[in-house]
Amino acid sequence: MATGLTQARWTHVALPTGDLDKAISFYTTLTPLVVVERFADADGESVWLSNDKQVETPFVLVLVSFNKDKGGQLGLLHPFAHIGIEVPQRSDVDEIAGRARELGCLHWEPRQMPPPVGYICALKDPDGNVIEISHDQQVFDTVRRRWGS
């Protein structure tokens, strides 16, 4: 099978999870990520999550559930280490924070931070990893401006 890859590229971040189904539900409910592929072998299961139809610059969050670790809380990203997801509207931060609050997984209440941080909140996934939701952080726009998209 030929590949379209023409240069080295950052493609994924992988995190362990003690409950793959619970983690998939968290990410597909509270973030824009969708399931791309799901795998299983004798050692356990994994899933690839990404933005829906992210074709030009695919980037994947890989969640891996090893049989030997099932049931554990395996979070590695805390207390400040986190995955960042930028949303287009300030109200998106408030809406996601509201859903996370109802689900008992809101880690930081929404707050306005000085530039370049913007308006943020944070969630904790089922393993305790911190997921930051931001508006006006401008990571997306800054990179596109820098490299001309």
Side-chain angles (χ1 to χ4, degrees):
M1 177 180 206
T3 178
L5 190 64
T6 59
Q7 63 184 354
R9 176 150 320 266
W10 187 24
T11 60
H12 68 278
V13 170
L15 294 174
T17 180
D19 187 330
L20 188 60
D21 290 328
K22 194 172 182 180
I24 290 169
S25 178
F26 170 88
Y27 284 99
T28 59
T29 299
L30 292 170
T31 78
L33 302 180
V34 298
V35 173
V36 176
E37 293 284 344
R38 196 163 175 169
F39 307 92
D41 61 26
D43 294 322
E45 309 175 76
S46 64
V47 67
W48 293 356
L49 301 169
S50 188
N51 287 316
D52 194 24
K53 297 180 180 59
Q54 185 172 335
V55 174
E56 292 299 316
T57 56
F59 191 80
V60 173
L61 173 61
V62 178
L63 299 176
V64 180
S65 178
F66 293 107
N67 293 334
K68 66 181 182 60
D69 297 327
K70 284 198 192 276
Q73 190 178 39
L74 307 174
L76 301 171
L77 300 176
H78 54 83
F80 175 76
H82 61 270
I83 292 173
I85 295 175
E86 194 169 350
V87 295
Q89 303 295 322
R90 182 182 176 98
S91 59
D92 294 332
V93 173
D94 293 326
E95 190 269 326
I96 292 167
R99 285 191 288 154
R101 194 179 297 110
E102 289 173 9
L103 295 170
C105 60
L106 185 63
H107 183 52
W108 306 329
E109 285 287 339
R111 61 186 76 171
Q112 181 64 52
M113 301 295 289
V117 178
Y119 188 61
I120 63 169
C121 74
L123 324 174
K124 280 221 173 173
D125 79 4
D127 287 283
N129 294 303
V130 177
I131 311 302
E132 179 190 82
I133 308 296
S134 69
H135 168 69
D136 202 27
Q137 197 164 80
Q138 299 186 20
V139 172
F140 180 82
D141 289 339
T142 299
V143 170
R144 289 177 61 100
R145 195 169 45 251
R146 168 79 43 105
W147 289 317
S149 253

